[in-house]
Amino acid sequence: EDREKFSRIIDDLGLQQAEWKELLDMSSALRFADKVGYPVLVRPSYVLSGAAMNVAYNAERLAEYLFEATGVSPDHPVVISKFITGGREIEMDGIAKDGVVMGCAIHEHVENAGVHSGDATLMLPTQTVSEYVLARIEDATKKIVEKLEITGPFNIQFIAKESDVLVIECNLRASRSFPFISKTMGVDFIEAASKLMVGASVTDMNLPNIGTRNRPSKYVGVKAPMFSFTRLGGADPILGVEMASTGEVACFGVDVHEAFLKALVSTGFKLPEKSIALTVPRDLLEEVVHHVWILHEMGYELMCTAETHPFMVAKGIPCTLVHYADSELLPNIRTLISNNHVDLVVNLPTSSSTELKNNFLTRRTAVDFGVPLLTNAQLFKMFVESLRKHKEGKVQFTRGASLFDYYEREAPSDSWTSPTEFH
């Protein structure tokens, strides 16, 4: 899409979006960043999978990213916008006819905004989104679809933070989540979109639409990404605004934790048996300490690097100090991983992280030796909550029910499809 043109449309519609500016020259870009405050997001036009899209936390990085973005998309606008930290990313997938929404599904990311939608873990139905935010998203969707006179599939991405609901972008195509929402909601969105584009009726398809809140009601779907970092020697296995995943897995559960754990394990993730190594920067320690305590209560042996160890000890969480990956002292985290003494590596980098080289070496060593790795705080917390439920016997996935099993358990009043319709 043309970022500048779309941003102007959103302004004209009176919808919220992050403060933005089209790149005219380097000096104006730097002035804009100083005005709105770092971090800022560099967004080239007409690119796939977030190519050359980056978050800049200082002027030096901004200049570097702008040069890269103009090289990827030299003939089209590059937009700089204020990056919203701590926001919740929510997506609206839908189909329309002549500017009217004919069917849609709202799903949310486990990870906060800043992770490309193709790399994010999706939950359907939404789990933490308020009715107020849902209503704002639906209202914005109707206005955007009408303004663009959409016929066919579309995907609109939003950020919700406190009472603000901001538009990120709109893609006039089927997104990679269309198969996921079709399977989870029991209706073929691609078939419906195809019918609308050729003028056929979809009235007999029982599509969910604006205001739908009960599909599904008896189970939850979670879509988790799969990565190929083991085949990309030297690549940093970390999530960002540029897409890195090469596949995905969708699973279903009686609640979000069961569905999440099933999906994660289906990607090849091994549950830890004994020991977990943690590196957490200062600005995340307070956020994750509660979940680190849960790991301690479950009996895991915790190993923490220098920045994390004193905080956890001060909070009454027993843990062993391990040296950074480049240290010649023992035990260091790299040696422990390579010698198979660690079952799970939790490395949560942020813009405030100071041990950049050591963090990279830790993550890369985990990937190279096939040790499960978590690099996102929200993902880590969801994993701990799900693991605790599993340990308590409240979540099971070794004898996982299929989607057809959930259909079988539905009462006739719960079902929105007949046995002969799409499943």
Side-chain angles (χ1 to χ4, degrees):
E1 63 182 27
D2 185 318
R3 302 283 184 185
E4 188 270 343
K5 184 182 293 185
F6 180 73
S7 293
R8 293 196 184 281
I9 289 174
I10 296 303
D11 283 344
D12 292 343
L13 290 174
L15 301 175
Q16 276 189 292
Q17 64 179 318
E19 195 168 350
W20 67 279
K21 184 178 180 62
E22 181 185 1
L23 171 63
L24 300 175
D25 53 62
M26 190 64 69
S27 59
S28 65
L30 293 171
R31 286 196 301 271
F32 172 80
D34 287 335
K35 173 190 172 186
V36 301
Y38 290 94
V40 293
L41 179 63
V42 178
R43 310 170 71 201
S45 298
Y46 298 106
V47 296
L48 290 175
S49 302
M53 191 178 295
N54 284 289
V55 180
Y57 289 88
N58 53 53
E60 181 182 1
R61 288 296 187 188
L62 176 57
E64 176 186 334
Y65 295 151
L66 287 173
F67 179 78
E68 179 184 351
T70 53
V72 170
S73 185
D75 300 324
H76 302 290
V78 174
V79 165
I80 312 167
S81 59
K82 172 64 180 173
F83 181 71
I84 308 299
T85 58
R88 198 70 165 166
E89 186 158 344
I90 306 159
E91 296 189 57
M92 168 70 89
D93 279 322
I95 53 175
K97 177 67 174 177
D98 298 327
V100 178
V101 179
M102 302 297 290
C104 61
I106 303 175
H107 47 89
E108 69 172 308
H109 296 189
V110 171
E111 303 86 352
N112 281 347
V115 174
H116 190 280
S117 59
D119 293 347
T121 308
L122 310 186
M123 302 178 287
L124 177 65
T126 59
Q127 299 295 302
T128 68
V129 184
S130 71
E131 282 293 326
Y132 168 76
V133 170
L134 291 173
R136 290 279 303 276
I137 287 172
E138 290 172 334
D139 178 65
T141 296
K142 289 188 288 186
K143 291 179 179 178
I144 294 170
V145 169
E146 181 180 11
K147 178 67 177 179
L148 299 179
E149 300 179 3
I150 298 174
T151 292
F154 65 87
N155 166 266
I156 307 177
Q157 298 166 19
F158 298 87
I159 293 178
K161 185 175 182 181
E162 297 174 348
S163 61
D164 293 326
V165 180
L166 297 86
V167 179
I168 303 175
E169 65 182 27
C170 174
N171 299 298
L172 298 185
R173 55 168 172 76
S175 72
R176 63 186 56 82
S177 49
F178 259 59
F180 170 63
I181 66 166
S182 295
K183 205 70 171 177
T184 305
M185 303 192 85
V187 62
D188 192 335
F189 274 81
I190 294 299
E191 179 187 355
S194 301
K195 285 183 175 181
L196 291 174
M197 287 189 286
V198 299
S201 173
V202 295
T203 55
D204 62 336
M205 294 189 68
N206 194 18
L207 291 159
N209 210 328
I210 298 292
T212 299
R213 295 288 187 270
N214 63 340
R215 289 178 67 171
S217 60
K218 300 298 183 181
Y219 61 92
V220 176
V222 169
K223 181 171 79 72
M226 295 185 70
F227 300 91
S228 299
F229 290 120
T230 54
R231 300 184 181 184
L232 302 172
D236 192 353
I238 192 171
L239 305 182
V241 292
E242 189 167 355
M243 184 175 165
S245 64
T246 53
E248 54 199 10
V249 173
C251 289
F252 305 93
V254 294
D255 62 18
V256 68
H257 294 104
E258 181 174 296
F260 172 82
L261 208 56
K262 284 180 180 178
L264 195 62
V265 170
S266 297
T267 67
F269 193 99
K270 299 175 184 175
L271 299 185
E273 296 181 2
K274 180 181 178 183
S275 55
I276 299 174
L278 300 107
T279 297
V280 183
R282 286 189 299 272
D283 53 344
L284 284 180
L285 287 167
E286 288 286 355
E287 179 179 345
V288 304
V289 64
H290 310 277
H291 290 75
V292 176
W293 172 258
I294 293 172
L295 291 175
H296 161 64
E297 282 193 315
M298 287 192 289
Y300 286 103
E301 176 189 350
L302 304 179
M303 296 176 277
C304 300
T305 49
E307 191 173 27
T308 310
H309 180 266
F311 179 87
M312 295 302 168
V313 171
K315 297 298 181 180
I317 300 177
C319 57
T320 301
L321 173 65
V322 295
H323 300 288
Y324 285 119
D326 68 349
S327 175
E328 296 182 0
L329 299 174
L330 297 176
N332 70 59
I333 191 167
R334 199 175 188 184
T335 302
L336 290 168
I337 295 171
S338 61
N339 289 334
N340 202 31
H341 295 313
V342 177
D343 298 326
L344 170 65
V345 174
V346 179
N347 185 279
L348 307 178
T350 67
S351 60
S352 69
S353 299
T354 56
E355 295 290 338
L356 302 182
K357 177 184 176 183
N358 279 307
N359 283 341
F360 165 73
L361 289 173
T362 300
R363 294 190 293 269
R364 191 63 235 180
T365 304
V367 169
D368 290 339
F369 285 87
V371 177
L373 171 68
L374 295 174
T375 63
N376 178 273
Q378 295 77 46
L379 206 62
F380 167 68
K381 292 190 291 184
M382 175 69 83
F383 171 74
V384 173
E385 293 167 7
S386 303
L387 184 62
R388 177 172 61 177
K389 278 192 171 183
H390 173 56
K391 293 282 188 180
E392 294 172 346
K394 298 177 181 177
V395 165
Q396 67 81 25
F397 57 90
T398 55
R399 300 182 306 278
S402 72
L403 183 59
F404 302 103
D405 294 320
Y406 291 106
Y407 286 149
E408 286 290 331
R409 291 199 291 266
E410 285 179 333
S413 58
D414 295 328
S415 179
W416 57 85
T417 59
S418 72
T420 59
E421 288 182 308
F422 175 83
H423 278 70

